[in-house]
Amino acid sequence: MAFPNPILVAASLALTVGVLAPDAAATDRKVPKDFATIQAALDAAVDGDRILVSRDKAGPYRENLVVSTPNLLIQGKNATLLPWRTVQKNVELNAGAAGVGFQIAADGVVVTGFTIRNATGGAIVAVGDDIEISRVRIEGCQGNGIEITGVDATIERNTIKYVGGSGIVYGASTNAGTTVIERNTVCLNADSGIVSSGADVAITRNTVEYNQNDGIQINDGGYDGSDSTDIDGNKIRSNGGNGVCVFETGADGILIEGNTIETNGRNGVEVATGDGVSFINNKIKRNSENGVSLSAVGGNLVKNRFENNTLSGIVINNGLANGNHNLDSNTARSNGRDGIQVTGGANNLVNNICDRNLGDGIDIVAQAKGDSQANILLGNKCSRNQHEGIDNSGTNTQINGNKLSKNGPGGFGPDIAGSGNRANPEDAVGIGSVAVGQYNNNKTSDDSDEDPTIPQELDI
């Protein structure tokens, strides 16, 4: 039997203990046991120390804190774990209506376990990298709740409500780094819920609701910002503006996936600028304007549900330009206007379901002759829409393999205007009632409509 070398075992054990043990130079500075105020402990701290703050029997700490030493852990009393739930017993900081609650100007600072009230310049304002804010409750403050400028920030499990600005504002100091904004509750704030202008940001599993402006806002921080921003698994509802708004950015690679976006005061999602935005598996419903309004280019919309929005489910608006959007396997149902409305060219609409909308199932719109060119409609199912299943006034539209039924009052099928259009003979073709004499160049017995002033190429 071979026995281990005792020298090697001892060396290994020493190395393990060294890894697990805290830095010998770090000091725990306890408030109020060792320091009467939090600021006094901060002033005495050196790089790597821990500031451990217990609740004061005299009431909230009435301070405006300035943190200038890097790599500090500033921790309120830990949560108490009960058998059936976790109760957070935060330490309360009252900023006294006199400025910022936590003013941080250092890297590597962690703040956790506080309740911050009555700040007039923002609850937490930080400039630095590797900042972490967690398990903080912010309410009744002016300015923004949490505002960080830097890279590699972590903002998680906080509650921010009733602030005079936005709940969370993140701005990158460079175009590098990765930031996580996760599991926060951001509600009832006077501006937007979450505002981000950095690259490589993960905005995940937050609840963002009842804010007066947009729920989540992505904009350009000056670095062609917001590249590779992921908005994933959030509940975004009942905000006064858009659920999600992307604007003033040349960013690529924004992913909006698996969110519930509902009952917002404007669009579920508005992309004003920002190319290559992807929407995957979102539920976007009951918003006061459109489900999605998309004016950028290169969007990718796959397997989303757009239901009961006041206007249209999806609106693509590229005017005279090509959009190059891909719409695949989406459901647009029971919207107040069209299921899908497209202005612009070179878009692919494949295998979408558009039913029970009060306008058209799919509407290809030309603002003038020759607009909205070369769109492709393939394998879509449009049924029970109040107007046409497919209403096309674009040019060189390919309409193939679609299934259209029971659209319009008394008819069904596509309204095919424009020029150079092609429709597959297997499509169910027809239209509901139209004004007498409006179209008089029909080529099928089903009263399919075409503009008689424009030559047709219909393979039906």
Side-chain angles (χ1 to χ4, degrees):
M1 179 176 179
F3 292 92
N5 187 321
I7 297 175
L8 294 178
V9 170
S12 176
L13 180 61
L15 178 61
T16 302
V17 170
V19 170
L20 296 178
D23 187 346
T27 301
D28 287 351
R29 303 181 185 276
K30 298 179 181 181
V31 182
K33 180 180 179 181
D34 300 327
F35 297 88
T37 66
I38 303 171
Q39 188 63 57
L42 291 171
D43 292 342
V46 298
D47 189 327
D49 282 356
R50 300 195 307 173
I51 313 299
L52 305 180
V53 185
S54 297
R55 300 174 76 184
D56 194 336
K57 294 180 181 180
Y61 291 89
R62 298 183 180 277
E63 303 184 57
N64 302 95
L65 302 175
V66 177
V67 183
S68 56
T69 302
N71 303 311
L72 297 182
L73 168 64
I74 308 168
Q75 181 177 352
K77 186 181 176 82
N78 291 333
T80 300
L81 182 63
L82 299 179
W84 64 94
R85 61 185 177 140
T86 299
V87 176
Q88 188 74 32
K89 292 186 178 295
N90 281 359
V91 171
E92 185 169 341
L93 176 70
N94 189 316
V100 177
F102 277 85
Q103 182 81 54
I104 300 170
D107 296 338
V109 174
V110 177
V111 176
T112 184
F114 288 87
T115 294
I116 305 172
R117 295 188 173 95
N118 208 20
T120 57
I124 299 175
V125 179
V127 178
D129 298 338
D130 299 299
I131 302 292
E132 179 179 333
I133 311 296
S134 66
R135 300 184 185 276
V136 169
R137 185 178 184 89
I138 296 169
E139 56 186 33
C141 296
Q142 297 300 310
N144 299 316
I146 297 172
E147 181 177 339
I148 297 178
T149 303
V151 296
D152 296 317
T154 301
I155 306 169
E156 62 179 358
R157 298 180 185 273
N158 303 287
T159 298
I160 305 107
K161 61 181 182 179
Y162 302 122
V163 303
S166 296
I168 297 171
V169 177
Y170 170 67
S173 57
T174 70
N175 60 353
T178 300
T179 287
V180 175
I181 303 173
E182 183 174 18
R183 293 183 183 274
N184 301 282
T185 298
V186 187
C187 61
L188 298 161
N189 299 299
D191 203 336
S192 296
I194 298 174
V195 179
S196 174
S197 58
D200 293 301
V201 181
I203 303 174
T204 306
R205 289 180 285 183
N206 302 281
T207 297
V208 185
E209 58 188 2
Y210 301 107
N211 299 286
Q212 292 187 27
N213 198 357
D214 300 323
I216 296 177
Q217 190 179 101
I218 309 298
N219 60 64
D220 193 340
Y223 306 101
D224 213 12
S226 309
D227 282 13
S228 302
T229 293
D230 290 353
I231 302 172
D232 185 5
N234 302 280
K235 296 179 180 178
I236 307 166
R237 57 196 178 199
S238 300
N239 298 286
N242 302 290
V244 177
C245 184
V246 180
F247 73 103
E248 292 183 0
T249 176
D252 294 321
I254 294 176
L255 174 62
I256 302 173
E257 181 175 12
N259 303 281
T260 298
I261 305 172
E262 60 184 352
T263 61
N264 295 287
R266 294 195 59 206
N267 302 290
V269 181
E270 179 175 358
V271 181
T273 58
D275 299 342
V277 178
S278 291
F279 304 79
I280 300 174
N281 283 322
N282 299 284
K283 296 179 181 178
I284 303 177
K285 55 189 179 180
R286 297 196 300 274
N287 296 286
S288 295
E289 294 183 9
N290 304 293
V292 166
S293 176
L294 183 57
S295 300
V297 300
N300 188 41
L301 286 71
V302 180
K303 295 183 178 180
N304 303 282
R305 299 182 69 89
F306 303 92
E307 298 179 343
N308 297 107
N309 297 287
T310 301
L311 301 181
S312 296
I314 303 172
V315 173
I316 305 296
N317 185 14
N318 294 110
L320 305 179
N322 289 339
N324 296 302
H325 302 294
N326 177 58
L327 281 63
D328 189 346
S329 303
N330 301 284
T331 297
R333 175 173 292 143
S334 300
N335 297 287
R337 291 186 181 173
D338 301 325
I340 301 174
Q341 182 186 103
V342 176
T343 304
N347 301 292
N348 294 325
L349 282 65
V350 180
N351 297 328
N352 300 286
I353 297 173
C354 299
D355 63 2
R356 297 181 175 87
N357 299 289
L358 298 185
D360 302 312
I362 298 174
D363 189 3
I364 308 298
V365 180
Q367 297 175 339
K369 182 178 178 180
D371 291 354
S372 296
Q373 296 198 32
N375 291 293
I376 296 174
L377 280 60
L378 175 64
N380 302 286
K381 297 179 181 179
C382 301
S383 62
R384 294 181 174 86
N385 299 288
Q386 289 295 304
H387 291 177
E388 288 70 57
I390 296 174
D391 186 350
N392 171 57
S393 57
T395 301
N396 295 317
T397 307
Q398 297 185 37
I399 304 174
N400 297 313
N402 304 283
K403 295 182 180 180
L404 316 172
S405 64
K406 299 181 181 178
N407 298 289
F412 53 91
D415 173 1
I416 303 173
S419 65
N421 298 300
R422 297 187 296 278
N424 192 294
E426 296 179 359
D427 294 345
V429 178
I431 183 110
S433 60
V434 296
V436 175
Q438 182 176 354
Y439 300 104
N440 56 15
N441 190 31
N442 301 308
K443 294 188 178 180
T444 77
S445 59
D446 300 293
D447 292 330
S448 177
D449 303 328
E450 312 131 28
D451 186 337
T453 66
I454 302 175
Q456 303 295 307
E457 296 179 9
L458 299 178
D459 300 328
I460 49 178

